[in-house]
Structure formats: C-alpha cells, structure tokens
Amino acid sequence: PTLLESNSQVLLHGNSDDEAADRDLQIQQEACLPVCGEPLPPTDEFPKDADEYLRQVQWERLHIPSTVDVDIPVKPPKQRKRRGVAANQGSLLAQFDEADVPPDVSYCPEWAEDVAAAFWQLRLHCDQVRERVFAGATPSRLKFDDWRGQCEHRRPATRFLAAQDFVSINHLVVVAVDALVDFYEHLSPSMAPTAPAVEDDSKPAIVFDAGKAQVLDQLCEWAFAALTFIEMPLIDDTQYQLQRLRRTCKKIILDLHSSGLAELP
C-alpha cells in the first residue's frame, strides 16, 4: 500500500479507538434502535409503527427548549413533634449547657486580646523551629501510650515537640485533654456538696494540696504546648477535643472558686 493509504488506515483505526473509548466512558452513546427517515412532527393520531414513533420523538427533542422555567410553590416545612427532654428544653445538644464563670474570676476582653496576640507570635516561633528541625531530620511519630508516659513523667520541650509530625501532635492533643478530664473527674467528687463538713467554716471541706496543684500545672503545660504546635486547619476530632478542653477548664475554675480554692497553693 502507498503512504497515503497507510496514513488513512491509521487515522481510521485511531478514530475507531477513540469512539470506542468514548462509548466506554459514556461520552458517546450508541443508537439502540435504527430510525429510517427524517424527524416527523407529531399528530393527533397514534403512530403507525415504532419507526414513526421514534421519528416523532426526534422531532420533539429538536423543538423542546433546553431550559424551562417552572414555578414551584414553596410549602412550609412540616413541624415534627418533639418528645421527652427535647420537647421541654430544646434540642439535645442544648442539654450540654455550661455554667457561666463568675465575673470576678473571669477574664477581661483587653487581657484576652493581648494573650491571643502573644500566643499567635509564639505559634509563629514554633513553626520556625519546626522548619529548622524538619530540614535536618525525619519527623518523629509517637503513639498514644508514648505520649501518656511523656505527660506523666516529663515536662514539654520545644525541640522535642518540633520534631513531631502532624499525626503525632494530634495524638498529643487527645492524650493531654484526656488527662485533664480524668484529673477533674477524680477531683470533682471531693468537691461535691456532700463532702464531710469541718468545724471551721472558713476552711474548705476538701483537700487540694500542693501535689495536686503540681499535677494540674504539669497537665496544663502539656495542653498548652500541644496547642502551640497543632497545625491548621483543625480536623474534626481535634475540634471535638478542644471543646472538651474548654468545658473541663470552665468546670475546674467554677469548682475551685465555689470551694474557696481559687488561689492554688
């Protein structure tokens, strides 16, 4: 064969391959039924055969506009009947209400703005340290049990935290929040109103000694350190852990204040 004939066969073969690929991807559809003749406008009479019906369908498809405006009446949503607790006090999520911290132990907006600005600068510094550490070493990844041992026996260190990868820091957030929640749950029973009374009413009925204060201080350091190295954007589980941290901190403040222990030893 000549060069022209060879090129023609290649082009025909290539086109057939492209058409087959288009059909596989449902870009191009094959004709299911053969149609003989031009599109036929519909009449009041029934089509004589299937071919006439398909020709009428082709004519309608060519004359129907691609965009149709339709007025849909808007119906008000149906009100579902609420039962149980949700019927009397709103949604179930509203039941996880938090008591407000008294103004005398709460923060002021000006103080919060200064702390937020300082904390942002601290996070920028931690990012710079992490970049320098990652440039010369492979990131480390600790498991939950490893972080529990760190939180129990050590204090947080900047270079150690900077060497951890994204997953490892998120593990630390979970461990640090769990530790604070467990600390509060073991501490709160002794703060209950049913605690044994003492003869001197000026002294609190609970014992929050220097040892417990040191444990709380160490756990808060780990939680604070985790927040300085956590990466944005926050994943769903991390947002949930931060909500737990917020609720637990408010409960600790309220209990210490109501028990007369707002000033830790």
Side-chain angles (χ1 to χ4, degrees):
T2 63
L3 180 61
L4 179 62
E5 293 175 349
S6 300
N7 291 336
S8 300
Q9 293 178 0
V10 171
L11 291 175
L12 291 174
H13 181 70
N15 292 335
S16 62
D17 292 341
D18 293 340
E19 292 177 358
D22 291 342
R23 285 192 294 269
D24 293 338
L25 296 176
Q26 297 183 353
I27 298 176
Q28 179 180 350
Q29 297 181 353
E30 297 180 355
C32 296
L33 297 175
V35 179
C36 300
E38 299 294 331
L40 185 67
T43 61
D44 296 336
E45 300 179 356
F46 288 102
K48 299 178 180 179
D49 50 22
D51 183 74
E52 185 175 338
Y53 170 75
L54 294 177
R55 292 168 61 190
Q56 293 180 1
V57 171
Q58 286 184 338
W59 187 92
E60 292 180 350
R61 185 187 63 181
L62 295 175
H63 291 77
I64 292 179
S66 57
T67 303
V68 180
D69 296 330
V70 179
D71 294 332
I72 301 178
V74 179
K75 297 182 180 180
K78 296 182 179 180
Q79 297 292 335
R80 299 181 59 183
K81 295 182 179 180
R82 296 182 176 181
R83 300 179 180 178
V85 178
N88 299 327
Q89 303 178 3
S91 64
L92 292 178
L93 292 178
Q95 307 311 311
F96 298 95
D97 199 6
E98 305 173 18
D100 294 331
V101 177
D104 53 343
V105 295
S106 182
Y107 64 89
C108 62
E110 295 80 8
W111 179 84
E113 292 179 1
D114 293 340
V115 171
F119 185 73
W120 180 256
Q121 293 297 325
L122 180 59
R123 280 182 53 84
L124 293 178
H125 172 70
C126 293
D127 288 339
Q128 296 174 358
V129 176
R130 177 163 44 199
E131 291 178 358
R132 292 196 298 266
V133 172
F134 282 6
T138 303
S140 177
R141 178 176 298 181
L142 297 184
K143 299 181 179 179
F144 292 105
D145 292 337
D146 299 331
W147 279 121
R148 293 187 184 98
Q150 293 288 332
C151 294
E152 184 178 356
H153 302 292
R154 296 182 58 182
R155 295 277 183 170
T158 302
R159 290 192 61 86
F160 178 75
L161 292 171
Q164 307 301 318
D165 63 359
F166 173 81
V167 176
S168 184
I169 293 298
N170 281 276
H171 288 172
L172 173 59
V173 172
V174 176
V175 171
V177 174
D178 284 344
L180 272 173
V181 172
D182 293 340
F183 176 84
Y184 171 75
E185 290 178 351
H186 287 83
L187 187 66
S188 57
S190 62
M191 293 184 174
T194 56
V198 295
E199 296 180 359
D200 189 358
D201 295 337
S202 62
K203 297 180 180 180
I206 64 172
V207 177
F208 191 81
D209 53 14
K212 292 182 179 179
Q214 183 178 1
V215 173
L216 178 60
D217 183 63
Q218 182 172 343
L219 295 179
C220 291
E221 282 188 13
W222 277 107
F224 184 85
L227 296 180
T228 58
F229 280 93
I230 195 170
E231 298 183 28
M232 304 291 287
L234 301 177
I235 60 176
D236 294 342
D237 183 69
T238 302
Q239 296 181 31
Y240 164 71
Q241 297 298 335
L242 295 183
Q243 290 292 336
R244 294 179 64 207
L245 177 62
R246 177 177 178 270
R247 290 193 295 266
T248 303
C249 290
K250 292 186 67 174
K251 291 176 182 178
I252 292 176
I253 294 174
L254 288 172
D255 286 349
L256 293 178
H257 177 75
S258 61
S259 303
L261 295 172
E263 296 182 359
L264 300 181

